[in-house]
Amino acid sequence: MKQRKQAIQPESDLSLPAGRPSIAARRTSCLLLCLPLLSTLITGCWDNRELNELGIASGSAYDWEDDQWKATYQVINPSSGASGMGGSGGGSTTSPPFITFTVKGKTIMEAIDKTNLTSTREMFFSHSRITVLGETMARHGINQIIDMFLRRQDARETVYVFLAKGEAGAILDQLMQMTKNQGAGIQLMIEQESRLVSYYPGVRLYELAMALSSESGSAVLPEIRLTGHKIMDETTETAVTDLPSRLALGKLGVIKGEKLIGWLTQRQAFGLSFITDKINKATIAFPSHPKAGDTPDASFILQNSSTDVRPIWDKDHYVMDIHIEGSGTLTELGSIMDLNDRASISEMEASIEQHVLELVNNSWTEVRKLGADVTGFALRIHRSDRKRWKQIEQNKSWDSVFRDIEIRPHVSIKIERTGLSNKSFKSVQQK
């Protein structure tokens, strides 16, 4: 009897009932279903911290005392109410809107860690607005501060940096009437000043780092100071119409290398703003009739301004050809003058131009005396005369080259509008 030999077919050739998915398709479906379930196991922040565990710092200050870092941190007080401080809301009205912690350490990070010995909350710096450097610390050197801000994950390199002539920590104790958050208030102050007055530039920490690591190796920082001798650190003291002591912008500090080397007055800082093309908007007081006297009796708002600086090599030194152009509106006039007369307008334009020239020359005299290139001349020479700049770098002779620089400023100001009247009130009154 013959037996039939049945050929054994491979599994891949076996046919499945119609409509039934293959084994590979079923495996794929299972994996797709498992992926959403697996994703639930890896969600969340790796450094998650509860809000009630953090002390949110709105400002910091650093001093150098007894060969140690002295750090002061301004922490927002969550239990403080906004009533009486320019805001609204619940909470205690007698509790201050912020609390300050002062600690010391051989390094900055050691000082920061010591705040955990006196505070129930961990310091959190991601919302910090300002940092203030004391004069003693600035003369000691600021490189370590910059390194710490650029290295830490939660530190903000966009904080505005200020100098204080006395103890920097004292600045953070002062209350402000128009805002509850003092750090945010000082930030608004410098931003408003840079936008409307243009005496001082608002300098963020990364801008400071870039300036000190540039060809010039120099930078400027505005001073924040107290107008009075008493620190207003109690909420009851702010319930008056005029505080005897307020925070205000003062002089302009000059940093060279990593150390503070001197100060510029407000007038000299204003002239520097013209040289460095940092004028956004400014009010200029000037004499409308310079031949009759130097006492300012008119005001002009400079609304548009631009500065062009061109380095020129003249025999054995550089000449910086500075062209300043601007236009704006006449806003005040205290003399007898007919503004329909073009000669009167030209006379006032010449007076404004002379005033700007004096500001620029006065600023340059002090800057050259300090020997710090806060004008940005080194960068302009590097871009326009690379061959000679390479030689200056090799000889390390920039300091001597900078001291020999001569400036030739040229100013052109146009009064485009004279306001709502073409005559001064004094002219009308004389009739």
Side-chain angles (χ1 to χ4, degrees), residues 160 162 186-194 200-202 222 249:
Y160 282 99
F162 297 87
I186 295 177
Q187 177 186 352
L188 292 173
M189 184 190 300
I190 189 63
E191 289 177 345
Q192 177 177 278
E193 188 281 331
S194 299
Y200 313 103
L249 297 172

Side-chain angles (χ1 to χ4, degrees), residues 65-261:
E65 187 177 282
D66 300 327
D67 291 331
Q68 290 188 94
W69 293 95
K70 183 179 179 182
T72 303
Y73 298 102
Q74 183 186 95
V75 181
I76 295 174
N77 183 6
S79 63
S80 171
S83 304
M85 293 297 295
S88 61
S92 172
T93 59
T94 57
S95 181
F98 54 81
I99 301 169
T100 57
F101 293 93
T102 301
V103 286
K104 288 184 178 182
K106 295 179 181 179
T107 64
I108 305 168
M109 284 306 304
E110 183 182 90
I112 293 175
D113 286 344
K114 285 185 178 180
T115 59
N116 297 311
L117 303 178
T118 57
S119 172
T120 58
R121 299 193 176 202
E122 181 185 354
M123 292 292 106
F124 185 70
F125 299 98
S126 293
H127 293 281
S128 185
R129 306 293 189 93
I130 63 163
T131 189
V132 186
L133 311 180
E135 182 176 8
T136 304
M137 194 280 291
R139 293 191 183 276
H140 171 75
I142 65 174
N143 279 355
Q144 199 165 332
I145 287 283
I146 296 174
D147 182 88
M148 186 271 294
F149 269 94
L150 297 179
R151 192 175 299 277
R152 276 179 64 92
Q153 271 188 327
D154 64 339
R156 292 186 66 182
E157 68 275 8
T158 56
V159 295
Y160 282 99
V161 187
F162 297 87
L163 291 173
K165 280 199 169 183
E167 185 179 344
I171 297 295
L172 298 186
D173 289 330
Q174 176 73 21
L175 294 172
M176 301 179 75
Q177 284 182 308
M178 300 296 288
T179 180
K180 183 180 178 183
N181 186 337
Q182 190 228 49
I186 295 177
Q187 177 186 352
L188 292 173
M189 184 190 300
I190 189 63
E191 289 177 345
Q192 177 177 278
E193 188 281 331
S194 299
R195 187 177 70 253
L196 301 178
V197 185
S198 300
Y199 289 159
Y200 313 103
V203 182
R204 296 181 184 270
L205 189 127
Y206 74 89
E207 294 173 329
L208 173 63
M210 290 173 62
L212 294 178
S213 59
S214 68
E215 291 88 342
S216 65
S218 303
V220 292
L221 290 175
E223 176 202 4
I224 187 78
R225 66 184 183 90
L226 289 171
T227 58
H229 298 290
K230 184 180 179 182
I231 298 175
M232 313 298 289
D233 56 356
E234 296 183 16
T235 56
T236 55
E237 295 177 326
T238 61
V240 292
T241 56
D242 187 19
L243 292 178
S245 181
R246 292 179 179 274
L247 290 173
L249 297 172
K251 295 184 177 182
L252 189 66
V254 177
I255 309 288
K256 184 176 181 181
E258 65 163 326
K259 297 182 179 181
L260 174 69
I261 61 170

Side-chain angles (χ1 to χ4, degrees), residues 264-308:
L264 298 180
T265 64
Q266 186 183 91
R267 180 181 173 86
Q268 292 164 348
F270 195 23
L272 182 63
S273 294
F274 277 101
I275 296 174
T276 55
D277 197 20
K278 294 290 180 65
I279 299 291
N280 294 313
K281 187 178 181 181
T283 297
I284 299 175
F286 66 97
S288 57
H289 291 290
K291 295 179 181 179
D294 296 333
T295 303
D297 62 351
S299 294
F300 170 78
I301 292 184
L302 185 62
Q303 296 170 317
N304 301 292
S305 176
S306 64
T307 302
D308 181 45

